[in-house]
């Protein structure tokens, strides 16, 4: 674990909410040109989260020979309406080299990263 940490806002203007099949809420974030930060898209649907973020705005290097895993905490809303999503990617790693890390299908961590 490198201990590198980064935080960035995802402005409310980039989010949309929809009601999906079977009444499930679906939330998506779009910033295709990365004007507000490194994430081009985020989708939250039925307890799953998919995020696509890249570029220097991420704020950590990915310059180690192997990352091994990558943890993420996404907090939406504020106060009593806040909701936290916690992930630690490292289960099904398809790419792990300097400057690039891709993983999917990870179980929820036992403890949410970053207090």
């Amino acid at each position: 674990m490198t201990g590198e940490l980064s935080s960035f806002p995802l402005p409310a203007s980039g989010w949309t909410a929809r009601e999906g099949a079977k009444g499930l809420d679906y939330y998506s974030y779009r910033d295709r040109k990365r004007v507000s930060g490194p994430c081009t898209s985020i989708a939250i649907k039925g307890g799953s989260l998919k995020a696509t973020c890249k570029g220097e705005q991420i704020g950590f290097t990915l310059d180690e020979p192997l990352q091994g895993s990558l943890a993420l905490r996404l907090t939406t809303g504020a106060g009593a309406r806040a909701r936290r999503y916690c992930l630690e990617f490292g289960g099904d790693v398809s790419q792990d080299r300097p400057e690039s890390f891709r993983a999917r299908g990870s179980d929820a961590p036992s403890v949410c990263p970053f207090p």
Side-chain angles (χ1 to χ4, degrees), residues 2 62-69 95-98 101:
T2 66
L62 287 180
D63 62 355
E64 294 74 25
L66 293 173
Q67 290 299 126
S69 66
Q95 195 168 89
D96 190 355
R97 63 175 195 249
F101 182 82

Side-chain angles (χ1 to χ4, degrees), residues 81-92:
R81 298 189 65 144
R83 180 142 186 201
R84 188 184 330 189
Y85 299 86
C86 301
L87 298 139
E88 185 170 3
F89 297 101
D92 182 10

Side-chain angles (χ1 to χ4, degrees), residues 13-85:
S13 61
W15 287 94
T16 56
R18 297 184 183 100
E19 186 173 319
K22 301 178 185 176
L24 296 174
D25 290 329
Y26 176 84
Y27 301 95
S28 64
Y29 175 82
R30 295 270 188 249
D31 182 6
R32 293 181 187 188
K33 295 184 180 182
R34 293 183 285 152
V35 173
S36 299
C39 296
T40 55
S41 66
I42 295 176
I44 302 169
K45 183 177 182 179
S48 70
L49 172 81
K50 180 179 180 181
T52 303
C53 307
K54 61 184 177 180
E56 293 178 2
Q57 295 180 67
I58 287 179
F60 53 89
T61 62
L62 287 180
D63 62 355
E64 294 74 25
L66 293 173
Q67 290 299 126
S69 66
L70 184 66
L72 166 81
R73 183 184 74 200
L74 172 67
T75 304
T76 59
R81 298 189 65 144
R83 180 142 186 201
R84 188 184 330 189
Y85 299 86

